[in-house]
Amino acid sequence: LVSARSGLPNRHYLDIWLRSTLFLARRRREPMALALWSQPLVAGTKGRLATIAGHLRGEDLLVEISSDQYMLLLPHTSESGTEILLNRLRKTLGNFPTGATLWLPDGKDMTMKSTLRRVAKAFTDANREGSALLWIHG
């Protein structure tokens, strides 16, 4: 459930977390923001990631998706709230191209599959364009 590399929750943990979190989000009709970025795990990065994870709200999740790729999931968070938090994170982690999107509990994407594809596309586009933050809306 935890990546030995970064010390963060891994993809398997994310799958488990999503099951319970999406149920509550659908019931409450609350959006969830997702942000995806990549950065090398160089000296000090693991500690900075742990610091950030420790300062998140209890329902938020910072997860290692793959080697050097991280996703932040923020239940009941708007686009503007996400941007504020990401700006704070950049002060600790540095400025890396980041893709972001919102999952909305409207019944069209109950399992979040299309939202995960959207955030991956936003991340790819942010890297290509060199954007600090690129949003793709559903």
Side-chain angles (χ1 to χ4, degrees), residues 90 95-99 121-135:
R90 284 191 181 95
N95 196 13
F96 297 95
T98 304
K121 180 175 179 2
F123 168 69
T124 300
D125 292 351
N127 272 312
R128 185 177 49 249
E129 296 174 17
S131 299
L133 178 60
L134 189 133
W135 284 88

Side-chain angles (χ1 to χ4, degrees), residues 1 6-10 13-14 17 35-37 39 45-46 48-65 69-74 86 89 93:
L1 297 178
S6 67
L8 294 174
N10 61 21
Y13 184 90
L14 174 62
W17 182 87
L36 181 66
W37 72 93
Q39 70 180 102
T45 304
K46 186 174 180 179
R48 288 190 296 273
L49 288 167
T51 298
I52 287 168
H55 285 93
L56 294 173
R57 301 173 299 181
E59 63 269 12
D60 298 341
L61 180 66
L62 176 59
V63 61
E64 181 180 341
I65 295 297
Q69 195 172 52
Y70 306 94
M71 184 182 294
L72 180 61
L73 296 99
L74 304 164
L86 289 174
L89 294 182
L93 291 175

